[in-house]
């Protein structure tokens, strides 16, 4: 779960990390009074859970409180990178000498936390790591040791920062580690971390992602969960499916995480793009399958639905009944490509073929067919 920038900055502030003075605003008048309070030039920032707001016009500068009000009125209710803006952060404008990148995240392969450090702040880290890998330094944290100050010395020297900010950088990195642990975070990121014109370090942007699996330990955060989901994702969640939204045009229903991932890989391998995937889990009844198929048929972007089932405790005949009933009730036409084998496979195939739905045994064949259908439509 992502925290909004203003929430992440509140956390940072609480842990002693320097952030610009400012507060959240929900109206032009609030923006006006915060800007007056701050005095001088301010930054008005759209609070949406996506990066790259700067380039999309979601980060604006105002010289006067009146200007801040105007900008706020224009931004509130508008969309930034497809997301509706309902809150703004109004902050003092900081004079930047250098934009740096600093984050703490989990390296799953290494099973360690790792600090990522770069002197090219402002650019998104994925792009940075791809285009300028030599400009990103990785500093690993040994789990049995935790944070130690030498890590900040490595960062300081990699960034070419003066000794005068060594203590500051050390306390920022130490605080990041504490936040990471206390909040069960997956990411604590400051991009940019500014080296200011008067030689200080200030976190100009902040991003914190909390591990959803830890929310039971954070009742105060649990209430926030789900707010970044689209209406469609919320429905899938309410129905209790494990569902993930992607950006292609082929919908995927499968059972079990392994087969679902293999289906995704295979679609990508043959040049298709999954729109989403839904895992019906083990032993799904026809009613569950019906709900899943209906939901997936209603997805606005998917052009074709792939159902890839391996019947173990899941019975192919139950799945087949579910699909047939869903099609009857859905009232939407969308081609469905079914690949199914395992328990009660023959009965499942009979039911589907009776209703004119071809059943594939070979996964590659099914997926190539789906990709063709998506192209045609
Ligand atoms: P993002 O585009 O969503 O990552 O939003 P950021 O908060 O990172 O802001 C984008 C860019 O706006 C930053 O990289 C800075 O160049 C600029 N910016 C943000 N805050 C300030 C500020 O206080 N002073 C100055 N001079 N630039 C800022
Ligand atoms: Mn940023």
């Amino acid at each position: 779960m992502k925290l909004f920038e203003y929430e992440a900055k509140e956390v940072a502030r609480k842990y002693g990390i320097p952030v610009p003075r400012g507060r959240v605003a929900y109206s032009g008048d609030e923006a006006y009074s915060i800007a007056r309070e701050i005095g001088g030039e301010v930054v008005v920032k759209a609070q949406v859970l996506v990066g790259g707001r700067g380039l999309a016009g979601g980060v604006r500068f105002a010289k006067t409180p009146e200007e801040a009000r105007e900008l706020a009125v224009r931004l509130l209710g508008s969309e930034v990178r497809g997301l509706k803006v309902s809150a703004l952060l109004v902050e003092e404008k900081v004079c930047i000498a250098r934009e740096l990148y600093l984050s703490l995240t989990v390296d799953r392969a290494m099973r360690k936390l790792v600090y990522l450090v770069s002197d090219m702040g402002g650019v998104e880290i994925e792009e940075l790591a791809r285009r300028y890998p030599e400009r990103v330094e990785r500093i690993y944290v040994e789990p049995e040791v935790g944070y130690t100050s030498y890590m900040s010395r490595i960062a300081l020297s990699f960034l070419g920062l003066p000794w005068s900010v060594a203590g500051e950088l050390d306390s920022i990195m130490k605080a990041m580690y504490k936040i990471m642990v206390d909040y069960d975070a997956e990411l604590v990121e400051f991009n940019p971390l500014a080296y200011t014109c008067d030689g200080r370090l200030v976190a100009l942007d902040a991003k914190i992602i909390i591990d959803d699996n830890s929310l039971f330990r954070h009742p105060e955060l649990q209430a926030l969960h789900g707010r970044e989901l689209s209406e469609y994702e919320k429905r899938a969640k309410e129905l209790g499916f494990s569902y993930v939204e992607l950006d292609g045009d082929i919908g995927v229903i499968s059972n079990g995480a392994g087969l679902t991932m293999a289906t995704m890989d295979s679609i990508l391998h043959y040049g298709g793009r999954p729109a989403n995937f839904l895992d019906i889990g083990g032993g799904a009844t026809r009613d569950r399958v019906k709900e899943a198929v209906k939901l997936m048929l209603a997805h606005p972007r998917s052009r074709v639905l792939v159902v890839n089932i391996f019947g173990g405790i899941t019975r192919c005949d139950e799945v087949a009944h579910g699909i047939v009933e869903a099609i009857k009730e859905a009232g939407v036409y969308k081609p469905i490509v079914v690949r199914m084998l395992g328990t009660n496979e023959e009965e499942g195939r009979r039911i589907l073929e009776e209703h004119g739905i071809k059943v594939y045994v070979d996964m590659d064949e099914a997926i190539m067919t789906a990709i063709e259908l998506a192209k045609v439509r």
Side-chain angles (χ1 to χ4, degrees):
M1 179 185 76
K2 287 183 194 158
L3 297 187
F4 281 106
E5 178 192 8
Y6 73 90
E7 294 167 330
K9 279 181 168 162
E10 276 163 24
V11 174
R13 193 177 281 128
K14 195 169 90 185
Y15 282 73
I17 295 171
V19 292
R21 281 182 302 137
R23 274 189 293 119
V24 67
Y26 299 95
S27 69
D29 288 343
E30 274 183 284
Y32 175 86
S33 60
I34 297 168
R36 270 196 58 171
E37 230 173 272
I38 291 170
E41 204 167 339
V42 295
V43 191
V44 179
K45 308 179 79 176
Q47 297 301 288
V48 283
L49 294 168
V50 66
R53 295 165 303 166
L55 293 174
V59 177
R60 312 296 282 269
F61 303 104
K63 290 211 164 63
T64 62
E66 287 76 17
E67 213 182 314
R69 186 204 318 258
E70 272 170 44
L71 278 177
V73 168
R74 228 181 307 146
L75 276 172
L76 285 166
S78 74
E79 281 191 358
V80 170
R81 300 197 61 193
L83 295 174
K84 196 148 188 119
V85 181
S86 48
L88 302 167
L89 179 58
V90 181
E91 292 185 326
E92 63 175 313
K93 182 176 175 186
V94 171
C95 174
I96 306 176
R98 292 179 59 198
E99 292 198 30
L100 310 169
Y101 177 93
L102 178 61
S103 71
L104 178 60
T105 186
V106 186
D107 185 323
R108 289 172 202 278
M110 297 288 282
R111 301 184 181 187
K112 285 173 188 170
L113 296 187
V114 61
Y115 285 93
L116 300 179
V117 183
S118 174
D119 60 340
M120 292 185 71
V123 184
E124 288 200 32
I125 187 66
E126 291 81 5
E127 193 190 335
L128 202 61
R130 193 173 54 240
R131 293 181 53 190
Y132 312 97
E134 73 290 348
R135 300 285 283 272
V136 181
E137 175 76 333
R138 289 175 170 73
I139 306 168
Y140 287 95
V141 182
E142 295 304 322
E144 52 281 274
V145 181
Y147 177 77
T148 37
S149 290
Y150 81 86
M151 295 170 186
S152 68
R153 299 297 188 262
I154 297 175
L156 189 83
S157 113
F158 185 80
L159 294 172
L161 287 170
W163 270 100
S164 52
V165 292
E168 234 170 284
L169 185 61
D170 181 42
S171 60
I172 292 171
M173 288 175 69
K174 191 173 184 170
M176 288 167 81
Y177 184 80
K178 260 198 97 14
I179 293 170
M180 195 78 174
V181 174
D182 291 353
Y183 282 80
D184 287 307
E186 291 175 351
L187 176 74
V188 178
E189 178 187 77
F190 303 121
N191 186 22
L193 172 72
Y195 178 62
T196 63
C197 303
D198 56 353
R200 294 172 301 126
L201 293 175
V202 180
L204 287 197
D205 190 8
K207 184 172 173 186
I208 295 179
I209 303 180
I210 312 282
D211 180 353
D212 287 347
N213 296 309
S214 77
L215 285 176
F216 73 98
R217 294 206 284 221
H218 305 282
E220 75 290 357
L221 296 174
Q222 210 150 22
L224 308 177
H225 188 48
R227 62 183 180 181
E228 74 263 49
L229 301 179
S230 70
E231 285 310 308
Y232 195 87
E233 288 171 297
K234 278 184 199 152
R235 259 166 65 204
K237 211 175 161 52
E238 276 160 22
L239 291 167
F241 292 117
S242 113
Y243 173 87
V244 173
E245 184 72 36
L246 299 163
D247 56 10
D249 55 11
I250 300 174
V252 174
I253 294 182
S254 191
N255 64 325
L259 186 59
T260 308
M261 288 307 119
T263 311
M264 297 291 128
D265 285 351
S266 189
I267 289 174
L268 288 168
H269 175 75
Y270 288 113
R273 290 176 60 78
N276 54 10
F277 67 82
L278 184 153
D279 178 358
I280 57 168
T285 60
R286 67 177 75 179
D287 283 341
R288 290 291 287 163
V289 175
K290 182 177 82 179
E291 290 306 329
V293 175
K294 274 170 69 177
L295 182 73
M296 295 293 271
L297 285 175
H299 190 271
R301 196 171 357 87
S302 83
R303 297 163 186 267
V304 47
L305 181 60
V306 173
V307 182
N308 189 10
I309 300 295
F310 186 83
I313 43 172
T314 304
R315 289 169 38 188
C316 292
D317 55 327
E318 281 290 299
V319 173
H321 279 302
I323 294 173
V324 168
E325 285 169 25
I327 293 172
K328 280 185 193 150
E329 289 180 23
V332 197
Y333 178 75
K334 197 172 278 184
I336 304 185
V337 177
V338 183
R339 182 263 186 170
M340 202 159 75
L341 35 113
T343 311
N344 294 0
E345 171 184 335
E346 295 78 13
E347 179 63 5
R349 180 172 311 121
R350 192 189 61 73
I351 295 162
L352 286 172
E353 287 179 349
E354 218 166 67
H355 290 83
I357 300 167
K358 182 168 156 81
V359 177
Y360 294 81
V361 173
D362 185 72
M363 176 155 144
D364 301 78
E365 197 188 335
I367 281 166
M368 285 189 273
T369 306
I371 293 172
E372 282 312 309
L373 285 167
K375 271 190 206 143
V376 172
R377 283 168 63 85

